[in-house]
Amino acid sequence: MKIAIPCEIHPHETRISVIPASVDRLVKAGAEVIVESGLGQPVGWPDAAYQEVGATISQDRQKMLSEADVVMRLRKPELDEVKLLKAGAVQISFLDPFNETVLVDAYVEQKVTAISVEMIPRTTRAQKMDALSSQASLAGYAMVILAAERLNRILPMMMTPAGTISPARVFVIGAGVAGLQAIATAKRLGARVDAFDTRPVVKEQVESLGGKFVEIDLGETGQTAGGYAKALTPEQLELQKEGQKKVMAQADIVITTAQLFGRPAPQVISRDMLSVMKPGSVVVDLAVESGGNVEGSVAGEEVCIDDVLIIGLRNMPGHVARNASEMYSANLHNLVLEYWDAETNAFALDLDDDILKGCVITHDGELVNSMIAEHRQKGEG
Ligand code: NAD
């Protein structure tokens, strides 16, 4: 079975999909691995490192894609490249299947089996393949480091002969995987941390990291069966904003990570709320590419509003690209090897398997994913 791994070509991508250690695992399992020349270069692995573990290096991207049985990537493919794939090929990457209707149709047309890593269920068995978590966790870390660097004061308390510096205050909005890592990082740096999330179950997790959970009574919020937040009503969102203002007035850094699965991110900070913040404080918006948590944040930019710096930089895990690539690569090889049939030396698709049922979007000329099909029927996609 031929596994092809092309270079990431998106202009904002600094990460790579597969590192040599994963190729080693795949080759040892019996796969024939073809790597596009230059794949590892952005994070420091030369072609030779892939050759050493048994990969073939290809200079011909089109040929390697058209001959592949499995294609492993990080970003979703270009439409033109889907059309190169042979019928029955398996394509694994982030795919954004709720929004990428045209691409999903192309997989159907091409009879490609498309696996979307963001649809992997958040279950214990799937943890080792969970690319949303591995990348979010690093994003949470990177956001705090970035904010700390931009802030004009230090995070920890410091007692010096010249006086005592009080700890900085960090407010984390959205305490999922990224938010919890942001809390842990800010605590390690010595800040005082407050956090809020609409899912009350995270209160205990926030507290176990040393953060203080901000209580805002929004009435019934709950979460979906998959553990994701439910969208708030406009009235609840107003209550949330009002409740956050007091904490924002004291905060030096605000980190926002609020997301809704399969929908645009909620706006949890409106422009008027920024004016209550101290001059020189910093806000980092992780959701800037999926709708934006902060009114006025701009994807790929740092903007100043009312003397507050709003950081909307894209691809936050890409700021720690080496580790993000290592983690993503491990997620991918764990996924492929979980379903590797040692007798036939092939990736064996089992559409009754819970994990695959969640993340396979198209197969054999059909849209097989019930969540995406339902989304389309409702006219949302
Ligand atoms: P996410 O990226 O979808 O959202 C980030 C956070 O934003 C969530 O905690 C969500 O509740 C919160 N949020 C949404 N709207 C908000 C608002 N208006 N204000 C404040 N916060 C808001 O979430 P995620 O980090 O991907 O985690 C999703 C779920 O998956 C969680 O229940 C998490 O515990 C679970 N999970 C489970 C496993 C596992 O068991 N294997 C692994 C990872 C994540």
Side-chain angles (χ1 to χ4, degrees), residues 143 146-147 253-256 282-286 294 309 311 316:
M143 292 171 84
L146 195 59
I253 293 174
V254 175
I255 302 283
T256 70
V282 177
V283 178
V284 191
D285 182 358
L286 182 64
V294 184
L309 183 69
I311 301 180
M316 209 48 85

Side-chain angles (χ1 to χ4, degrees), residues 121-178:
R122 314 301 282 276
T123 57
T124 307
R125 185 164 77 94
Q127 264 176 349
K128 61 185 177 184
M129 317 167 196
D130 185 349
L132 278 183
S133 288
S134 69
Q135 302 306 294
S137 192
L138 290 164
Y141 168 88
M143 292 171 84
V144 173
I145 299 299
L146 195 59
E149 202 276 323
R150 296 291 192 275
L151 194 67
N152 61 7
R153 53 167 301 168
I154 63 167
L155 268 60
M157 183 177 92
M158 204 180 273
M159 290 161 97
T160 80
T164 298
I165 301 172
S166 57
R169 296 191 69 149
V170 176
F171 182 26
V172 177
I173 302 175
V177 179

Side-chain angles (χ1 to χ4, degrees), residues 187-203:
K187 284 301 290 181
R188 273 184 227 125
L189 291 174
R192 275 182 65 177
V193 182
D194 294 291
F196 176 71
D197 196 294
T198 53
R199 291 182 301 120
V201 291
V202 302
K203 178 176 184 213

